[in-house]
Amino acid sequence: MPLSSRTKYVLIGIGAVAIAVAIFSAGEWLSRQRAESLTRATLKSELNTFAGALKTEIDRSVDLGRGLAAVIAARDGISAEDFAESCESLLLHEPKIRNIALIVGSVITYNCPLARNRGTIGIDLRQRPDQWPSFERMRASGRPDVAGPVNLVQGGWSIIARVPIFVHGQGRPPVFWGALSMPLNMEGLFDQSGITDAAQLIDIAVRGNRNATLAPETLIGDPSVFDDNPVTVEIPFPDGAWKLAARVPLFGSGLTTDSPLHLATLLAAIMCGAMFFVVSIYADRRQRLEAESNRNRDLLRAFMENAPVAMYVKDVDGHYIDLNAEARRAFGVGDRAYYGRTMDEFFDTAMAKDLADDDVKVRGGAVVRAERNSGLKQAYPWEREIKFPVKDKEGKVVAIGGYVFDITAGKEAEIRLVRALRTAEEANRAKSEFLATMSHELRTPLNAIIGFSDVIQREVFGPIDNPTYRGYINDIHVSGQQLLDLLGGIIDLSAVESGRIEVKREVVTAQEVLGDCRAIIEGMARERQHHLHFNDAAHAPCCADRRLLRQVLLNLASNAAKYTRKGGDIEVSTRDDGDMVTFSIIDNGVGMSTTEIERAMQPFTRLGDTMRAEVGGSGIGLALVKRLVEAMNGRLHIKSEPGRGTTAEISMPKAGAA
C-alpha cells in the first residue's frame, strides 16, 4: 500500500531531524566547552539586558512621578479629587505601579486607590525606621530615590520610588513641600521588564532580600537554579541587592569526529538565533512606532474635534475629507455624512463660487485669507477664513486645509463704532458751525460797544468830570475787548476743527517772523516788568503760513508773560533742528505738571491755581495753538514743571524738506 504524501513528509521530517541530531551530537562532543562558554556569555548578555530593562522600568515610573509632582508644585498643592483623578489615569496605563501616595511633609495624606490603602492615611514616615532613611535621603538630596525591597504598611512588599516636591515662592528659594511615593507591583515590574516572558523560554530565577536582616529568597523561578552553577547578574538597589540567575543548559558527551557538518549546523543555529534576535528587535520597534503613530493620530484627531474654530481638509478636487465638530456645526452638516461632498451642498451658489475661486489659488500654492459676510442664515454671519495648501515631501499640493473663525461679534462692534464716530463727527461739525455763526453775530454789537466806549474814553465830544464814570467806561472797554478776543479765538478754533481755515504755504525765515512779533512781545514784557531775551540762531527758511505762525508765537509769548510773576525772565529763540526749524518760548513762571499740560491742550479748560485765576482767560489759547501748528504740518512740544517754568517749542519743516 503506497504511503500518502502526508506520511512521506512526516517520515522525511523525522529522518532529517534524526540526521541533524546525530551530526549536532558529534560536533557538540568536540565543542562542548566552547559552546558552554558561548552560552554563558549569551546568557550573561541577556541577563544584563533584563537587568537594564528592570532598572529602566523603575526609572520610567520615577519620570511619571516627576510629571505629577510638577503639577502639584505648580499649584502649591492638590485636592483629593484632583489627585485621585490624576493617579487613576496613571495607574490605568502602568500596571507595575501598585498605588500612589502623596506625602505632605512626612505624613501620608492621600493614597490612590484609597480602598485598599486607607490604613496608610495619617502615617508619619518618621515613625517607620525601615522607610525613613530613604525618605530622608531623598529630601536631603532633592532628587528622586528608589528604596527596597521594603515591607509595606498595608501588607506585602515592594520597591518604592519617591519623587520630592518643592514649591517656589516669589523672591525665595524652593521649599520642600512633600513627596510622591509609588510602590511598584513586583509582578507588573517583572512583566514590563520582560523577565516573566523570559522565564517561559529560559530557566531563570530572581532572588533578593526584603531587608538587610532577612535571608535572600527566590522571588520568581525555580530556587534550584541557584544550586547548579548558574550565570548570575547583580541588580543593585540603595537598601540591598538582587541576583538574576539563569541555568546553563546541559551538554551531552557527543561524538569524537571533527565534522565540518557539525560546524555548519552550529553556524546555522547561531545565524538562526541571530536572525530571530534581529527580527524580534525589529518587530518590537515596529510595534512601538505603530503605537506611537496611533497615539499621535488620536491626539491630532482629538485636537481637531475639540478646537473652538471650524477646521476642514479637502482633496484637490474640492471634496471634503475631514471636518471637525465645530465645522460640522458651522456648515450645518450635523450627523449627515460629509465625506466626498462639495461646498455646493453646504452653501448658496454665490458663496460656493467664491470659495471655489479661492480653492484655485490654493491649488497653485498660495495661502488665501478672506473675510466675508455669509448671511444671517449661516452659523457664522461674519467669518474669517484661512486656506492653505497641504504639500507632500516633493512639494506637490495633495490637499487643501482651512480654518474658519467666527468674527461676528468683532464686526458688529466695528460697525457700531463707525456709526458712533460718524455721529460724533456730525455733532462736532454742528457745534463748530454754531460757534462760528454765533461768534460772528456777537462781534457786530461788540464792535459797537468797544467803539463807543473808546470814543467816550477819549472824551471826543467833551470831558467827563465824574471820575467814577471814567472808571466804568474803562472797564466796559477792557471787558469788551476781552470778549472780542475770546470770540476771535472761538472763530479760529471752530474754523480749524471744521476744516475751513485756509493755510497759505509760503517760505519764511525765522528773522521775518520774529520781526513781525518783536514789538508786540516787547510790549507784553515791558508791561509786566519782565526781562526779555532774543536768541535767533536759525539760518534755514521754513515752510509755514506767516500770519498763522505769527499768531501762534504771540499766543505763546502772551501766556509766558501772563503766567510769569513780575520781574521774571522770558527767552524767545530759534534754531536749526535737523530737517525742522524750531521756535522756543522759555519762561520761569508758574509751570505745569504733565497732567495739567494735557488738560491745557483741551479747549475751554482752565487750570485752578491762584495766579491763573487772577490773570483770567478763556482756556482756548493752547488748544488753538496746537491745532494751528498741526494745520501747518508742524509739531508742538511743551516741557514744564510746577514752580520752575515752561518751555514751548514749535517745529516747522524746512523749506527744502516740506
Side-chain angles (χ1 to χ4, degrees):
M1 183 179 178
L3 299 175
S4 65
S5 298
R6 182 174 181 180
T7 303
K8 288 181 179 179
Y9 293 151
V10 171
L11 292 176
I12 293 173
I14 292 173
V17 170
I19 294 172
V21 170
I23 295 174
F24 183 79
S25 298
E28 186 66 13
W29 185 79
L30 296 174
S31 58
R32 190 171 73 86
Q33 294 299 324
R34 187 181 62 178
E36 182 176 352
S37 176
L38 180 61
T39 302
R40 282 183 171 274
T42 302
L43 288 175
K44 189 81 170 181
S45 175
E46 292 180 358
L47 293 183
N48 282 325
T49 300
F50 293 140
L54 187 65
K55 189 68 169 62
T56 298
E57 290 300 325
I58 295 174
D59 291 341
R60 285 183 59 192
S61 301
V62 171
D63 291 339
L64 291 174
R66 288 179 190 269
L68 183 55
V71 173
I72 296 173
R75 298 179 179 177
D76 286 342
I78 191 171
S79 66
E81 293 78 12
D82 290 344
F83 180 78
E85 182 179 353
S86 301
C87 292
E88 287 171 0
S89 176
L90 292 179
L91 293 174
L92 181 63
H93 297 90
E94 289 296 329
K96 64 176 174 291
I97 301 180
R98 185 184 184 280
N99 61 281
I100 303 176
L102 178 63
I103 302 172
V104 179
S106 61
V107 178
I108 300 176
T109 305
Y110 302 146
N111 207 331
C112 179
L114 183 61
R116 67 169 184 260
N117 299 285
R118 194 179 300 276
T120 64
I121 304 301
I123 291 179
D124 192 333
L125 293 186
R126 290 177 294 184
Q127 309 303 321
R128 297 282 301 182
D130 57 334
Q131 295 193 31
W132 177 250
S134 66
F135 186 90
E136 181 65 15
R137 180 172 63 229
M138 172 207 64
R139 185 175 67 172
S141 67
R143 296 189 298 271
D145 188 84
V146 179
V150 297
N151 291 313
L152 298 177
V153 175
Q154 59 271 46
W157 62 283
S158 175
I159 292 176
I160 300 180
R162 294 190 178 96
V163 179
I165 302 174
F166 289 84
V167 295
H168 298 256
Q170 295 182 351
R172 59 187 178 87
V175 177
F176 179 78
W177 183 86
L180 280 176
S181 180
M182 295 180 293
L184 304 183
N185 184 295
M186 304 307 299
E187 290 78 10
L189 188 59
F190 290 148
D191 288 344
Q192 294 292 98
S193 60
I195 294 177
T196 302
D197 293 337
Q200 305 298 322
L201 303 174
I202 306 173
D203 203 358
I204 193 171
V206 179
R207 185 166 68 183
N209 57 327
R210 304 189 187 187
N211 57 55
T213 62
L214 297 177
E217 63 182 281
T218 302
L219 309 178
I220 184 174
D222 186 354
S224 65
V225 171
F226 290 90
D227 301 327
D228 294 336
N229 189 26
V231 176
T232 61
V233 170
E234 295 284 342
I235 308 175
F237 287 97
D239 297 328
W242 291 4
K243 273 189 177 180
L244 186 60
R247 178 180 281 130
V248 180
L250 296 177
F251 294 89
S253 61
L255 302 175
T256 58
T257 305
D258 188 4
S259 172
L261 183 59
H262 164 72
L263 298 177
T265 304
L266 183 61
L267 181 60
I270 294 174
M271 290 178 63
C272 290
M275 184 179 296
F276 174 78
F277 185 72
V278 172
V279 170
S280 299
I281 291 178
Y282 173 78
D284 180 68
R285 183 171 299 175
R286 183 179 179 84
Q287 184 180 10
R288 291 185 181 182
L289 290 176
E290 289 179 353
E292 184 69 23
S293 176
N294 291 336
R295 282 195 296 269
N296 291 338
R297 184 187 62 239
D298 294 341
L299 178 62
L300 178 60
R301 186 67 216 166
F303 167 78
M304 287 189 62
E305 283 298 303
N306 291 279
V309 298
M311 304 169 64
Y312 63 84
V313 181
K314 297 189 291 187
D315 62 22
V316 291
D317 296 324
H319 297 91
Y320 285 99
I321 300 173
D322 199 1
L323 295 175
N324 72 342
E326 180 64 14
R328 295 194 295 272
R329 185 190 72 83
F331 296 172
V333 178
D335 296 331
R336 293 181 294 158
Y338 60 83
Y339 187 88
R341 302 178 72 178
T342 64
M343 65 195 92
D344 297 327
E345 302 177 62
F346 299 150
F347 309 105
D348 59 45
T349 304
M351 186 171 179
K353 183 179 182 304
D354 292 340
L355 296 175
D357 293 340
D358 291 342
D359 285 355
V360 173
K361 298 176 183 177
V362 175
R363 283 196 291 268
V367 176
V368 177
R369 296 174 174 84
E371 289 186 6
R372 63 177 65 89
N373 183 356
S374 59
L376 297 177
K377 294 183 180 180
Q378 299 293 333
Y380 296 171
W382 281 94
E383 65 184 30
R384 178 183 294 116
E385 183 177 23
I386 302 175
K387 285 186 180 180
F388 54 91
V390 180
K391 302 179 180 179
D392 59 13
K393 294 181 179 179
E394 288 73 29
K396 180 182 178 182
V397 177
V398 295
I400 299 173
Y403 302 86
V404 183
F405 303 87
D406 185 4
I407 60 171
T408 303
K411 278 294 182 180
E412 290 177 348
E414 181 181 334
I415 292 172
R416 289 194 297 270
L417 178 60
V418 170
R419 289 174 180 171
L421 288 174
R422 289 176 180 173
T423 302
E425 289 175 356
E426 291 173 358
N428 188 58
R429 192 179 302 111
K431 177 206 69 174
S432 299
E433 292 175 355
F434 172 77
L435 289 176
T437 301
M438 292 304 299
S439 298
H440 281 293
E441 292 296 329
L442 291 173
R443 290 183 76 172
T444 300
L446 273 176
N447 284 328
I449 292 172
I450 294 171
F452 290 139
S453 62
D454 185 62
V455 170
I456 298 173
Q457 191 179 35
R458 295 173 182 273
E459 299 180 353
V460 174
F461 299 107
I464 300 175
D465 297 329
N466 192 324
T468 301
Y469 288 160
R470 190 178 295 110
Y472 289 163
I473 201 63
N474 288 338
D475 291 341
I476 292 172
H477 187 271
V478 171
S479 299
Q481 189 62 50
Q482 289 178 347
L483 185 56
L484 185 62
D485 293 341
L486 173 60
L487 291 175
I490 293 174
I491 292 172
D492 291 339
L493 185 61
S494 63
V496 173
E497 290 184 341
S498 62
R500 295 197 306 269
I501 190 169
E502 295 183 3
V503 178
K504 183 180 179 182
R505 306 292 180 185
E506 53 187 329
V507 177
V508 297
T509 64
Q511 292 79 10
E512 291 172 342
V513 178
L514 289 185
D516 294 342
C517 303
R518 189 179 189 107
I520 299 176
I521 295 175
E522 288 176 344
M524 295 176 184
R526 188 166 48 251
E527 181 181 350
R528 291 171 175 78
Q529 301 176 12
H530 296 321
H531 304 288
L532 180 64
H533 309 278
F534 285 92
N535 182 14
D536 184 12
H539 301 290
C542 63
C543 182
D545 187 312
R546 183 169 178 173
R547 178 184 65 84
L548 296 181
L549 183 56
R550 180 173 62 246
Q551 181 179 350
V552 166
L553 292 176
L554 289 176
N555 278 1
L556 293 177
S558 175
N559 284 346
K562 289 191 295 184
Y563 298 119
T564 301
R565 290 180 173 82
K566 288 185 178 181
D569 292 319
I570 298 175
E571 179 181 341
V572 180
S573 64
T574 66
R575 70 178 186 274
D576 292 324
D577 189 5
D579 59 351
M580 309 290 282
V581 175
T582 299
F583 299 80
S584 301
I585 310 293
I586 306 171
D587 64 63
N588 61 348
V590 295
M592 297 177 288
S593 66
T594 303
T595 303
E596 288 175 333
I597 293 174
E598 294 177 358
R599 289 178 54 205
M601 292 293 184
Q602 303 302 317
F604 308 106
T605 301
R606 296 214 8 98
L607 305 182
D609 57 80
T610 304
M611 182 175 182
R612 291 189 179 91
E614 293 175 355
V615 172
S618 61
I620 297 177
L622 278 181
L624 180 59
V625 165
K626 181 176 183 296
R627 285 158 176 76
L628 289 177
V629 170
E630 291 173 350
M632 293 186 288
N633 295 329
R635 295 196 301 262
L636 171 64
H637 180 62
I638 296 179
K639 295 183 294 184
S640 186
E641 187 177 344
R644 305 190 66 174
T646 301
T647 298
E649 294 184 342
I650 305 103
S651 297
M652 303 304 299
K654 290 182 178 179

